[in-house]
Amino acid sequence: MLYWLLYPLSKHVGVFNVFKYITFRSFGAAITGIVLSMIIGPWFIRKMREKQIGQSIRADGPQSHLSKKGTPTMGGAMILGAIAISTLLWADLGNRHVWTVLFVTFATGVIGWIDDWRKIVQKNSKGVSGRQKLFWQGLIALAAGAFIYFHPEANSEQGVLTFPFFKDLAINLKLLYIPFAMIVIVGASNAVNLTDGLDGLAIGPIIITATTYAVLSYLAGNSKIAGYLQIPYIPGTGELTVFCAAMAAAGLGFLWFNAYPAEVFMGDVGSLPLGAAIGTVAVLTKNEILLALVGGIFVLEAVSVMMQVFSFKTTGKRIFKMAPIHHHFELKGWPEPKVIVRFWIISILLAIMALSTLKLR
Ligand code: 57M
């Protein structure tokens, strides 16, 4: 909004020319995001405690989690609030990519909110059934995929898949790109949801992934740099840098309170939309396959569950002491903070590797 309000005045007030720059507005969004989440945090936690909106703990989980009973949850609502205000304030609101990712994020946020509300406030442990969740997530992601693919400004390459490390490898999925995009968005959403099982374990890699995609969005939206790096140039994706900066910063502010021992959990209202947002940015910037590397921690967590369930169903034996894999390390005796920080370290290494693929092509 500030871009619309102040940049046109730059003819009279020269300093407003700075609103033309995505980098400046991304810093503005980041500062707004972290300040908002740091200010909202204590108020939100107090309110959740007053309303007794606290986490119930499953008895079949690691015993160390029983002490977490009653921890305020649904903190994702404050993250989404900070992201919305920062993005609407600093991004170019005429940009279709920004509206696409805002639509997916907040529509998925409604699913998470209803799930949390039913589970915690209405004490209905089922919440939204897995099937219903998957249906609505799929519908939202399918709508986004179709909008991206059929948009008149989309270039003919929209359906083309590119691969990290292999600059000459490209597969044109054509119409199949729409269900593919849906799988990326829904997969990312659910993988982040599974990962959110220790204090800060999900928000750390979310911050790292959002920061990485802030860089990737800027590069994909700059024709000169995209040409030099031989990555797809998608006009307008630079504005997603503002959204990603807001998301990373709002996540950092939330981490202040979610750090071990957590004062608040994000809830499904946080994990589902934040994962969907990352998947959507990956699709919009055409870095879909790269997301498997950048978000490798989320992939590891989801794959560990699939392996555990498959093994148990076929052989009756478990591969891990407990899935997702963060519980396996907990049951091996690693203290919770050690599991969390080691997963963050791996996430940082994967992000560095992903950015290095831009040159190693
Ligand atoms: C999402 N939710 C956490 C919190 C957070 C198929 C199966 C793998 C599903 C999976 C499952 O239920 N996943 C749901 C993970 C839960 O966190 C809440 O959920 C929100 C995220 N959606 O924001 O509100 C618990 O995680 C802990 N937590 C923290 N700090 C945080 O900052 O300590 C969360 C955030 C919280 C808290 O204890 O209560 C969760 O773990 O449920 N199921 C599992 O993950 C279960 N695994 C399992 O059953 N494994 C089986 C099979 C099915 C693979 C096996 O290994 O044989 C584990 N989770 C629980 N109990 N709760 C183990 C059993």
Side-chain angles (χ1 to χ4, degrees):
M1 184 180 0
L2 293 175
Y3 175 68
W4 277 358
L5 289 176
L6 300 179
Y7 179 51
L9 300 177
S10 58
K11 291 190 277 301
H12 312 293
V13 183
V15 71
F16 287 159
N17 188 54
V18 74
F19 282 93
K20 175 174 76 174
Y21 298 106
I22 286 171
T23 43
F24 171 77
R25 287 189 283 112
S26 297
F27 276 115
I31 292 162
T32 310
I34 197 162
V35 166
L36 281 176
S37 50
M38 295 287 280
I39 290 174
I40 301 171
W43 169 83
F44 185 89
I45 293 165
R46 200 170 45 251
K47 280 289 167 217
M48 288 296 118
R49 282 202 185 285
E50 282 166 13
K51 296 179 185 308
Q52 297 191 327
I53 298 184
Q55 184 70 50
S56 55
I57 304 293
R58 282 167 45 179
D60 61 345
Q63 294 312 295
S64 58
H65 284 232
L66 297 177
S67 61
K68 296 169 182 267
K69 183 173 169 48
T71 305
T73 183
M74 297 184 74
M78 68 186 231
I79 303 172
L80 294 185
I83 290 173
I85 295 169
S86 307
T87 304
L88 293 173
L89 207 51
W90 293 94
D92 170 4
L93 300 186
N95 183 287
R96 66 186 171 97
H97 303 303
V98 169
W99 286 112
T100 304
V101 71
L102 284 176
F103 160 70
V104 173
T105 304
F106 288 88
T108 310
V110 169
I111 301 172
W113 175 280
I114 295 170
D115 189 38
D116 285 336
W117 192 263
R118 284 185 186 172
K119 274 190 229 166
I120 296 150
V121 177
Q122 296 176 340
K123 307 285 181 225
N124 162 5
S125 62
K126 291 246 177 306
V128 175
S129 74
R131 224 179 271 273
Q132 279 179 317
K133 225 183 272 187
L134 218 48
F135 169 78
W136 289 109
Q137 283 176 303
L139 202 60
I140 291 162
L142 210 55
F147 177 73
I148 292 165
Y149 187 79
F150 288 117
H151 195 277
E153 288 170 27
N155 59 31
S156 56
E157 304 290 286
Q158 189 58 52
V160 174
L161 266 198
T162 54
F163 295 80
F165 302 111
F166 305 100
K167 74 173 183 303
D168 300 324
L169 179 57
I171 302 172
N172 194 338
L173 295 177
K174 296 192 185 336
L175 263 182
L176 285 179
Y177 184 77
I178 296 173
F180 171 78
M182 178 189 75
I183 292 166
V184 170
I185 295 169
V186 174
S189 181
N190 289 301
V192 171
N193 185 42
L194 287 173
T195 306
D196 194 28
L198 298 181
D199 298 354
L201 186 68
I203 199 66
I206 284 168
I207 293 164
I208 295 156
T209 306
T211 305
T212 306
Y213 271 91
V215 173
L216 293 170
S217 300
Y218 186 82
L219 300 178
N222 183 306
S223 60
K224 288 193 189 64
I225 302 177
Y228 166 70
L229 292 173
Q230 296 182 61
I231 56 175
Y233 165 57
I234 300 116
T237 47
E239 280 303 318
L240 290 172
T241 309
V242 180
F243 173 83
C244 290
M247 184 170 159
L252 213 51
F254 173 74
L255 178 59
W256 185 270
F257 306 102
N258 182 238
Y260 181 86
E263 301 165 65
V264 63
F265 297 153
M266 69 170 73
D268 283 26
V269 68
S271 58
L272 293 178
L274 292 175
I278 286 168
T280 306
V281 172
V283 166
L284 286 167
T285 59
K286 296 209 60 54
N287 285 294
E288 309 89 346
I289 308 295
L290 200 61
L291 179 59
L293 186 58
V294 184
I297 284 293
F298 302 127
V299 174
L300 176 70
E301 293 266 332
V303 167
S304 70
V305 169
M306 289 185 252
M307 287 168 64
Q308 181 88 327
V309 172
F310 179 77
S311 164
F312 192 73
K313 280 190 172 162
T314 49
T315 67
K317 291 194 176 59
R318 288 182 163 83
I319 299 170
F320 305 99
K321 290 177 182 297
M322 187 180 284
I325 196 168
H326 57 259
H327 288 316
H328 173 77
F329 292 113
E330 270 193 301
L331 297 182
K332 275 188 70 165
W334 292 19
E336 183 171 346
K338 194 175 275 290
V339 180
I340 297 160
V341 175
R342 285 180 172 176
F343 273 45
W344 289 352
I345 292 167
I346 294 168
S347 190
I348 291 167
L349 294 175
L350 289 170
I352 292 167
M353 220 189 298
L355 288 172
S356 69
T357 66
L358 293 170
K359 281 307 290 163
L360 306 175
R361 295 168 69 92

